[in-house]
């Protein structure tokens, strides 16, 4: 049996969200429809952006889950990513800090969904 995990993020505008995530991830979508777009993150893992499931998602509504971008390179790479995202105007919810598993920071997409950047296990 082949297994794949798709993490779905609800967004107001899938094409706009895809431009945002594509810029952050440095990649193009692997599948696109007007309301559902995915990014192939590697064997068995995809990020799906799905619009039209809720009306006018608000960044002010608390979120209880995160998309986590696990990166190689240690603290220097994480800090470089943080500075790059800051320069792009990405909303930063929490600056780099030690969270027990290593240095991490927390950002948000334009719809208020949380994006954590952390070290790869």
């Amino acid at each position: 049996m082949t297994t794949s995990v798709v993490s779905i993020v609800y967004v107001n505008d899938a094409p706009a969200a895809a431009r945002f995530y594509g810029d952050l991830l440095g990649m193009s979508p692997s599948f696109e429809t007007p309301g559902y777009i995915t990014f192939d993150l590697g064997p068995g893992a995809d990020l799906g952006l799905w619009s039209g499931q809720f009306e006018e998602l608000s960044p002010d509504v608390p979120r209880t889950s995160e998309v986590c971008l696990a990166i190689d390179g240690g603290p220097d790479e994480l800090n470089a990513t943080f500075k790059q995202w800051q320069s792009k105007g990405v909303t930063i919810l929490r600056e780099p800090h030690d969270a027990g598993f290593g240095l991490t920071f927390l950002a948000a997409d334009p719809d208020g969904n949380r994006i954590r950047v952390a070290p790869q296990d």
Side-chain angles (χ1 to χ4, degrees), residues 21-28:
Y21 280 93
D23 182 50
L24 291 186
L25 299 172
M27 60 177 52
S28 297

Side-chain angles (χ1 to χ4, degrees), residues 5-7 10 18 21-23 25-26 46 49 54-55 59 62 64-65 71 79 88 92-93 107 109 111-112:
V5 175
V6 179
S7 296
Y10 298 117
Y21 280 93
D23 182 50
L25 299 172
D46 293 289
L49 306 172
F54 300 97
E55 290 190 21
T64 58
S65 65
I71 61 173
N79 282 317
K88 292 179 182 212
I92 303 298
L93 300 176
D109 72 11
D111 293 301

Side-chain angles (χ1 to χ4, degrees), residues 39-62:
F39 289 87
D40 180 358
L41 302 178
D46 293 289
L47 173 64
L49 306 172
W50 197 1
S51 62
Q53 300 308 299
F54 300 97
E55 290 190 21
E56 299 185 30
L57 293 169
S58 170
D60 299 328
V61 175

Side-chain angles (χ1 to χ4, degrees), residues 53-103:
Q53 300 308 299
F54 300 97
E55 290 190 21
E56 299 185 30
L57 293 169
S58 170
D60 299 328
V61 175
R63 299 304 204 270
T64 58
S65 65
E66 303 173 345
V67 171
C68 184
L69 175 60
I71 61 173
D72 285 329
D76 291 340
E77 182 68 24
L78 188 130
N79 282 317
T81 301
F82 171 74
K83 289 177 183 172
Q84 181 186 45
W85 287 22
Q86 263 190 323
S87 73
K88 292 179 182 212
V90 174
T91 300
I92 303 298
L93 300 176
R94 186 151 183 213
E95 294 192 0
H97 62 282
D98 185 11
F101 52 81
L103 191 66

